[in-house]
Amino acid sequence: MERQARRYSLCSSLLGATIMLLAPGTCFSHGVAGKRFFPTTLTIEDPFVSDELSFVVEHIKDPHGKETELELEIQKRLSPDLSIGFGTAYRTIKPSGGHHGEEGEDEESAGTVYGFSNPTFSLRYQFLRDAVRELAGTLALDIEAGGVGAKRVEALSGTTLTPALQIGKGFGDLPEWAGWFKPVAVTGSLGFNFLLSNRGEAEGAQNSLAWGTTVMYSIPYLQSFVKDVGIPWPFSRLIPIVEFNGETLLTGHGSGETTAFANPGLIWAGKYIQLAVEAKIPLNDVSGRNVGILGMIHFFLDDIAPDIFTWTPFHGVLGPTQR
């Protein structure tokens, strides 16, 4: 009886926490410029600094085999406009090839490898937040520490620096006759992957240009600021989105070659948590011929426990991201 009581208590606690996280809130306080809430996206960085935690799962079969990746990323504000971050990923790679039949399957299974990729450290500075134009901009610097991850999952020995620019724009400032277009928002990212070590070149890594853009339609914005069309909760928190991302090689073998993907999906954003799922569709032969899938669970730490997660050594407790 005591064991059953403990189990019941644990289940009740988990259910209560889930209800608290998913329950309707009165407002969004993460990634806000004026009336516009910019959700955290799966492949393109959003143009905001915040206190947040993300888990992303990606699975796709590319020309080299099947890959599954579980990513973790955490970001912590040091001031209202400056944050640091840490990210890593655990990868599973199952190479394609082998012979047909049982023998071929054994060879392919034996080739499956697991391991962590190189960790990434980031510094982000938000230089622009225009409430009237629903405009935001951030400068970022990512440092992928070479030689830390497992080479068997293609972690490079060389360190990579990636300076990047991220911009977001909502269209709530359109004239009244264009009301149905006001829920539209776009974001974009442009970064340069620069290798600091020639060892990376020996492993086939090259300098490259990383780019991406998103187009989204916010149902919460539609119902709150354009017209309440009666969409009930939880569907009233949905944001249909399409992300386009790619990478163009700038040096070495294959210079000029581009991989590109379109990622249509849905984001559900609550006050404390965000859920998302997208398809990953290759746009050219270099990118592969198979559709992958992306999933994300994202926690707004600055809303869940602002007194804990938004503390800073020089600015005190910042509170939720909105200001």
Side-chain angles (χ1 to χ4, degrees), residues 32-313:
V32 174
K35 298 177 181 178
R36 176 70 52 177
F37 163 69
F38 289 87
T40 299
T41 47
L42 284 80
T43 63
I44 308 300
E45 286 286 351
D46 62 280
F48 290 90
V49 298
S50 58
D51 301 279
E52 59 185 9
L53 174 66
S54 292
F55 296 95
V56 177
V57 178
E58 177 180 345
H59 176 76
I60 193 168
K61 181 179 180 181
D62 64 18
H64 306 291
K66 296 178 181 178
E67 296 188 16
T68 302
E69 187 170 278
L70 175 60
E71 303 174 23
L72 176 148
E73 182 180 359
I74 187 167
Q75 188 180 159
K76 176 73 183 74
R77 286 182 294 169
L78 300 178
S79 77
D81 300 312
L82 184 69
S83 72
I84 56 174
F86 170 80
T88 188
Y90 186 79
R91 302 184 70 191
T92 301
I93 302 176
K94 187 174 184 179
S96 59
H99 305 288
H100 295 290
E102 185 175 347
E103 182 180 356
E105 292 176 0
D106 290 341
E107 290 179 6
E108 187 174 346
S109 176
T112 303
V113 293
Y114 311 84
F116 283 95
S117 62
N118 289 329
T120 299
F121 303 90
S122 64
L123 183 67
R124 296 166 60 84
Y125 172 69
Q126 184 164 359
F127 66 90
L128 175 63
R129 189 193 299 233
D130 188 324
V132 175
R133 296 176 177 83
E134 298 179 350
L135 186 63
T138 297
L139 293 172
L141 176 64
D142 293 340
I143 304 173
E144 181 183 320
V148 179
K151 287 187 177 181
R152 61 181 177 272
V153 291
E154 302 175 357
L156 300 177
S157 298
T159 295
T160 302
L161 288 182
T162 305
L165 171 67
Q166 288 113 29
I167 296 290
K169 175 70 174 79
F171 292 97
D173 54 351
L174 289 174
E176 290 304 317
W177 60 263
W180 291 97
F181 293 97
K182 290 188 176 185
V184 175
V186 297
T187 66
S189 177
L190 183 64
F192 177 65
N193 298 319
F194 178 72
L195 290 167
L196 295 182
S197 172
N198 290 331
R199 289 182 297 173
E201 297 286 352
E203 296 163 336
Q206 301 166 45
N207 296 335
S208 63
L209 189 69
W211 50 268
T213 186
T214 72
V215 181
M216 62 190 80
Y217 193 88
S218 175
I219 293 176
Y221 194 100
L222 170 69
Q223 299 221 129
S224 297
F225 304 114
V226 179
K227 181 179 181 181
D228 188 347
V229 295
I231 299 175
W233 188 90
F235 306 104
S236 59
R237 293 301 186 99
L238 287 176
I239 302 174
I241 185 172
V242 181
E243 298 188 73
F244 300 92
N245 71 295
E247 185 175 5
T248 301
L249 300 180
L250 300 177
T251 61
H253 178 70
S255 178
E257 192 173 82
T258 296
T259 54
F261 297 89
N263 310 286
L266 286 172
I267 293 174
W268 186 93
K271 185 176 182 181
Y272 301 107
I273 196 171
Q274 178 183 302
L275 308 173
V277 63
E278 292 180 352
K280 185 173 183 178
I281 303 173
L283 295 180
N284 56 23
D285 291 337
V286 177
S287 308
R289 297 183 178 181
N290 299 287
V291 176
I293 188 169
L294 294 160
M296 179 177 70
I297 180 169
H298 180 87
F299 297 95
F300 302 141
L301 299 180
D302 44 7
D303 286 311
I304 293 173
D307 291 339
I308 298 174
F309 293 114
T310 72
W311 178 86
T312 64

